[in-house]
Amino acid sequence: EKKRSYVSDIREHSLDRMREESRKRDSVAPVHLNVDGFSVEKKRWAILFLFCFGSFTNAATWITYASVDEITYRYYDIPPFLPPYLSLLFLFAYLPCFFVASQTFSKKGLKFGVVCGGLLTTAGSALRCLGSWPHPAAFAAVFIGQTLNAFGQPFFMGAPTMLAETWFAPSQRTLATTISSMFNPLGSAFGQVLPSLLIAVPMYLFPAPTINETTSCPNNCSSFGICNTTLVPPTCECWDGWYGETCDGYPNFFLLTLVEAVLPLISTILLILFFKSKPDHFPSLSASEMRIPFKEALKSCFTDRHFVLLALTFGLGLGVFNSISTILGIVVGSAGYGDSDAGLFGALLIGLGLVGAGIAGPVIDKTKKYKLLLRLYLVLSSVIFTVFTLLLEPGRYNILAVLMALVGFFATPILPICLELGAEVAFPMEETTSSNFLMASGQVFGIPLIVVTSSMLGASPTLAEAKIALWILSGSVYVSTVLSFVFNGRLKRSEEDSKGAGNQRLLSATQSMFSKESDSLISSRNTDAK
C-alpha cells in the first residue's frame, strides 16, 4: 500500500510538472498544436511577411537600368552594351557569394543572414541614389551600388526553405516556401515597371529616320541631352525641354533610385527590430535536428547523385526561364509586336506564374507528391513552349498571349517545388546550403544561355533567327524534363517527420494511459482510506 501510494504521488507530481511547463510555454507566445502534436506560433506569418518585404526590395533593384537601357547609356555617357550588364551582375555575383551566404546562415542563424542581405541592399541602393546626380564618378557609384545589391541576393534567395522549415509545420512548408520565393519575381516585375513610371521618356527617343534628313547634332549633344531628329535641322534637346547645344536638365533618375533606396531601408529596419531566427517551439521533429557542418554539406552537394541530378534539372529550367525573361522583347519584336505587347507578355508570364505557384503550394503540402508534380509541370511547360515557338508569327497576338500565360502558370511553380525537394533530398543539410546551390546551378546555365541567345539575336533579328534562339531554349527544357525522370531521391526530411509524428502520438497515448492509471490509483487509495 505504501509503495502504491508513493508511486502514485510521484506520477501525480510528474503530471503536474508537465502541465506547468506546458502553461509556461504557452504563455511565451500564442501557439496551437498541429496534427503531429508540435506547436506553431501565430507570429510565423508576420515573420514571413518581413522576409518577403526584404526579398521584394532586393529583387526590385535587379532590372532597373536594363528596362531603360537607352536612357541609361545616354544619361551616363557610357557604351550602349553596359546597361544590360548591370542586371547580369546579379547572375555573375551569385556564384561566389552563395558560399558566403550559406556559411553565414549555417554559423550565425537566419536573422543574421537576412539582415546582412538587407544591409547590403540598403547600402547598394544608397550608392545608386548618389550616382543619380551628374558628376564624373556617377556611373562608378551606380556600378558599385548594383554590385552590393547583387551580393545581397543570395541572402534572400537561399533562405525561403530554411524559414519554412524553422517556423512552419510540415503541412504548410511548401506554401511558405512558395510565398517567400515568389516575392522575388514580383519585386523584379515592380523594378521593371517603376522606371517607365518615374522617368519621362520623350516620344522621339526612337525616331524613325526620314529620307534626306541628317541625323547629326552639333557637338553630338552633351551627356545629358538627346538629339531630336524630328526637327530640321536636328537639334540637341534636354530632358526638361530646353533646346541648345548644351544641357542642364536630366531624367529623373534621382526620384527612381530614391524610391528604390527608401524601401530596403524600411525593410532592413523592420528586420532588425522584429525578425527572429527561430520560434520558441519547434514546429516539427526535423526542425529540431542538428544540421551537418557546412563543409560536409558542400561536399555532399557534389557527391550525392540524386541531388546533383536535381541541380541539373532545376538549373537548366531556371536558366531557360531567365533567358526567356531577358530576350522576350527582342523575340516577339521580330514577329512585328511592339514594346507594349512584349510588356504584356512578360506581365502574363509573371502574373499567371504567381497564380500557378499559389495553387501548387497547398496541393504539394497536402499530397507530398514532389517528384510527380515536378515531372508534370516540366512536361507541360516543354510542350506549351514548343507550341509558342511554332506559332510565333505576325497576327497571332491573342493565342501567343494565352500560351505565354500558360508557360508562366506551369513553369513558375517549379521553383518552390525544387527548393523544397532539395531540402528533402539533402536532409540533414542546412536548407540555405541546398537552396543556394540549386539557385547557383541556375546561374551556371543561365549566363551562357543568355549570352548565346542574345549574341544570336543582336538588336534587330529576323523571325527565323528568333526561332532558332527559342529552339535552343526549348531543347534545354526537354533535357531538363528527361533528367527529372531519372531523378529518384528519397524524401529524407518527410521520413524523419513521419517518425516524429509516430513518436509524438505514442508519447501522447502513453501520457493518456499514465494519467488514467494515476487517477485510478488515487481513487483506489481514497477508497482504502475510507
Side-chain angles (χ1 to χ4, degrees), residues 228-297:
N228 187 352
T229 57
T230 61
L231 299 178
V232 181
T235 306
C236 285
E237 185 177 13
C238 292
W239 299 100
D240 60 359
W242 184 85
Y243 292 86
E245 294 185 5
T246 59
C247 295
D248 297 321
Y250 45 86
N252 212 342
F253 269 100
F254 175 72
L255 178 60
L256 170 64
T257 53
L258 180 63
V259 171
E260 293 187 348
V262 170
L263 290 178
L265 176 63
I266 296 173
S267 170
T268 304
I269 292 174
L270 292 175
L271 287 171
I272 293 173
L273 294 178
F274 303 110
F275 194 81
K276 288 183 62 179
S277 285
K278 57 185 178 180
D280 298 309
H281 313 81
F282 290 116
S284 64
L285 182 63
S286 61
S288 65
E289 293 285 337
M290 292 292 294
R291 297 301 192 260
I292 59 178
F294 174 74
K295 291 184 179 179
E296 185 179 343

Side-chain angles (χ1 to χ4, degrees), residues 33-39 504 508:
L33 296 179
N34 58 36
V35 294
D36 296 333
F38 292 93
S39 57
Q504 188 68 24
S508 299

Side-chain angles (χ1 to χ4, degrees), residues 355-374:
V355 174
I359 295 173
V363 172
I364 297 170
D365 279 330
K366 187 71 175 178
T367 63
K368 300 298 180 184
K369 300 293 184 181
Y370 295 99
K371 290 178 278 189
L372 175 62
L373 289 172
L374 172 61

Side-chain angles (χ1 to χ4, degrees), residues 104-187:
T104 301
F105 281 112
S106 180
K107 290 187 175 182
K108 298 295 185 178
L110 183 61
K111 178 174 181 176
F112 188 88
V114 172
V115 169
C116 282
L119 290 174
L120 285 169
T121 306
T122 302
S125 300
L127 275 175
R128 297 194 325 161
C129 189
L130 291 176
S132 64
W133 293 97
H135 56 81
F139 185 73
V142 169
F143 189 86
I144 296 172
Q146 190 77 351
T147 303
L148 290 177
N149 290 340
F151 287 165
Q153 187 188 28
F155 291 94
F156 289 108
M157 292 299 294
T161 49
M162 185 180 188
L163 187 146
E165 165 72 17
T166 306
W167 282 91
F168 288 82
S171 59
Q172 294 178 331
R173 274 189 199 139
T174 308
L175 176 62
T177 300
T178 300
I179 295 173
S180 54
S181 60
M182 286 301 101
F183 266 77
N184 186 271
L186 193 61

Side-chain angles (χ1 to χ4, degrees), residues 333-351:
S334 68
Y337 300 100
D339 292 339
S340 60
D341 300 328
L344 179 61
F345 288 159
L348 290 172
L349 180 70
I350 295 176

Side-chain angles (χ1 to χ4, degrees), residues 48 58 61 98 136 153-154 190 193 239 254 264 279-280 315 333 336 341 345 359 363 366 387 404 442 456 484 491 522:
L48 180 63
N58 176 266
T61 63
F98 95 89
Q153 187 188 28
F190 174 79
V193 172
W239 299 100
F254 175 72
D280 298 309
D341 300 328
F345 288 159
I359 295 173
V363 172
K366 187 71 175 178
V387 175
M404 187 53 61
M456 287 178 56
S484 71
L491 305 181
I522 293 172

Side-chain angles (χ1 to χ4, degrees), residues 192 322-334 337-338 341-349 385 388 392 404 457 470 473:
Q192 193 165 13
N322 288 338
S323 301
I324 294 172
S325 303
T326 303
I327 67 172
L328 182 60
I330 301 176
V331 166
V332 299
S334 68
Y337 300 100
D341 300 328
L344 179 61
F345 288 159
L348 290 172
L349 180 70
F385 189 63
F388 177 86
L392 181 60
M404 187 53 61
L457 294 172
L470 290 179
L473 299 180

